[in-house]
């Protein structure tokens, strides 16, 4: 079989509402998710044995490859499809790790999509979905890799047709451990959560709604992890301030548990101008112009 290729697109949580903490200890979430054009690249040369090689500007951040989520995804599928063909993966790493944009989860999901193609598995094969759930909470949504609503602990994913949003992604290069963020919220098992002074629900538009209607709905939402993450890493507030001050920025918010923030822009030109300005002012930050959908 010839070489297979896929893209592991960055995940962006346009909203992230914490509804409570379940009896099993997991937090119950509702998140409108989009995916960016910027991505890692993943190639599979199908074969009998699994192997992983990593290249790219962020290859050094991948650490021990036996613990990489691509390897975990391959093992998870093999456990459910024992005769599944594996092969040699080449990961071209560009997205920052542990940054709130699901870089590793997107890599794992891309690996599962490639293995599904190599083994003639349908995209909705329950074994494929189960493998995604076993690897990590963000992997099922990254398996879809398009606009959707993610609920529960990430296991319930509903496709949502979103308009295209020009955007800028910024990561200041500081760690924000997800566990620390959720711990700081301080919910006990079985306890619900409503942020002070903010609505619990958002009325989401129909799929045919205009971009402005969607933007208004997204703006009415929030990321409940953002205030907590800012306390852990105050530089996140600086990133958000700079994005909001950029010409053409219509909304700025943190993605996931941070530290990556996104700004939605009126057009691609204003997004590109913001990237140029931010890179000049903060050359060590990861700053990318992209588009969400």
């Amino acid at each position: 079989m010839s070489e297979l290729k896929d893209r592991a697109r960055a995940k962006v949580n346009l909203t992230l509402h914490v509804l409570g903490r379940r009896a099993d200890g997991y937090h119950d979430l509702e998140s409108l998710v989009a995916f960016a054009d910027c991505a890692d690249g993943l190639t599979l040369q199908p074969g009998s044995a699994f192997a992983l090689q990593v290249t790219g500007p962020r290859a050094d951040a991948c650490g021990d490859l036996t613990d990489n989520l691509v390897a975990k995804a391959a093992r998870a599928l093999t456990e459910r499809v024992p005769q599944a063909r594996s092969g040699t993966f080449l990961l071209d790493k560009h997205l920052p790790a542990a940054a709130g944009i699901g870089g590793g989860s997107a890599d794992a999901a891309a690996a599962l999509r490639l293995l599904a193609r190599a083994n003639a598995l349908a995209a909705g094969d329950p074994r494929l979905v189960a493998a995604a759930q076993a690897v990590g909470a963000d992997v099922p949504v990254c398996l879809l890799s398009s606009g959707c609503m993610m609920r529960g602990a990430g296991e319930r994913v509903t496709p949502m047709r979103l308009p295209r949003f020009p955007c800028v992604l910024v990561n200041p290069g500081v760690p924000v451990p997800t566990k620390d963020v959720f711990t700081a919220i301080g919910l006990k098992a079985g306890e619900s959560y409503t942020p002070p002074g903010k609505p619990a629900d958002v009325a989401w538009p129909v799929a045919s709604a205009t971009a402005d209607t969607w933007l208004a709905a997204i703006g009415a939402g929030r990321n409940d992890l953002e205030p907590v993450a800012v306390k852990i890493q105050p530089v996140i507030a600086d990133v958000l301030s700079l994005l909001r001050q950029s010409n053409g920025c219509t909304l700025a918010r943190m993605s996931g548990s941070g530290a990556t923030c996104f700004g939605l822009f009126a057009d691609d030109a204003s997004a590109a101008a913001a990237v140029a300005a931010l890179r000049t002012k903060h050359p060590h930050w990861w700053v990318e112009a992209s588009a969400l959908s």
Side-chain angles (χ1 to χ4, degrees):
M1 182 178 289
S2 60
E3 185 178 83
L4 304 173
K5 295 184 178 183
D6 206 335
R7 298 175 71 242
R9 300 170 70 198
K11 168 195 67 71
V12 175
N13 299 92
L14 293 169
T15 64
L16 199 165
H17 300 169
V18 178
L19 305 182
R21 191 173 183 185
R22 308 189 316 195
D24 61 8
Y26 288 99
H27 286 79
D28 197 18
L29 308 175
E30 181 181 84
S31 178
L32 181 66
V33 178
F35 285 82
D37 289 341
C38 53
D40 293 334
L42 193 64
T43 300
L44 170 64
Q45 180 59 61
S48 58
F50 172 84
L52 174 61
Q53 302 170 15
V54 181
T55 61
R58 293 186 176 268
D60 291 345
C62 289
D64 181 5
L65 295 188
T66 60
D67 197 43
N68 188 278
L69 290 187
V70 170
K72 290 185 177 180
R75 288 196 296 267
L77 187 64
T78 301
E79 289 171 1
R80 291 157 178 82
V81 188
Q83 303 304 315
R85 173 182 292 180
S86 187
T88 299
F89 288 90
L90 177 61
L91 174 61
D92 184 22
K93 191 66 183 172
H94 291 259
L95 300 178
I101 52 173
S105 296
D107 296 341
L112 289 173
R113 290 193 299 270
L114 289 173
L115 289 169
R117 289 165 57 188
N119 291 279
L121 300 178
D125 190 301
R127 296 168 295 180
L128 189 70
V129 175
Q133 292 174 346
V135 177
D138 278 344
V139 181
V141 71
C142 290
L143 191 63
L144 186 63
S145 194
S146 61
C148 56
M149 184 66 72
M150 180 178 68
R151 294 184 173 91
E155 73 276 11
R156 303 200 311 274
V157 178
T158 304
M160 302 277 279
R161 187 180 302 171
L162 300 176
R164 179 184 183 275
F165 289 112
C167 80
V168 174
L169 299 177
V170 183
N171 184 281
V174 295
V176 187
T178 300
K179 182 180 179 181
D180 292 355
V181 174
F182 279 105
T183 298
I185 290 179
L187 293 180
K188 298 177 182 178
E191 186 177 359
S192 61
Y193 179 74
T194 301
K198 295 188 178 181
D201 299 313
V202 174
W204 296 112
V206 297
S208 59
T210 65
D212 286 343
T213 300
W214 274 102
L215 185 61
I218 294 166
R222 59 196 187 274
N223 182 341
D224 290 333
L225 304 184
E226 184 179 303
V228 179
V230 167
K231 290 181 180 178
I232 296 172
Q233 292 288 4
V235 69
I236 293 171
D238 298 333
V239 173
L240 291 169
S241 178
L242 287 170
L243 283 169
R244 289 166 182 153
Q245 293 169 22
S246 301
N247 290 333
C249 182
T250 55
L251 183 148
R253 186 171 285 157
M254 189 183 80
S255 177
S257 58
T260 302
C261 299
F262 66 91
L264 302 184
F265 280 76
D267 50 53
D268 293 313
S270 57
V275 166
L278 286 165
R279 285 178 175 171
T280 298
K281 190 169 186 177
H282 293 282
H284 300 298
W285 288 3
W286 180 77
V287 183
E288 293 290 335
S290 188
L292 303 180
S293 59

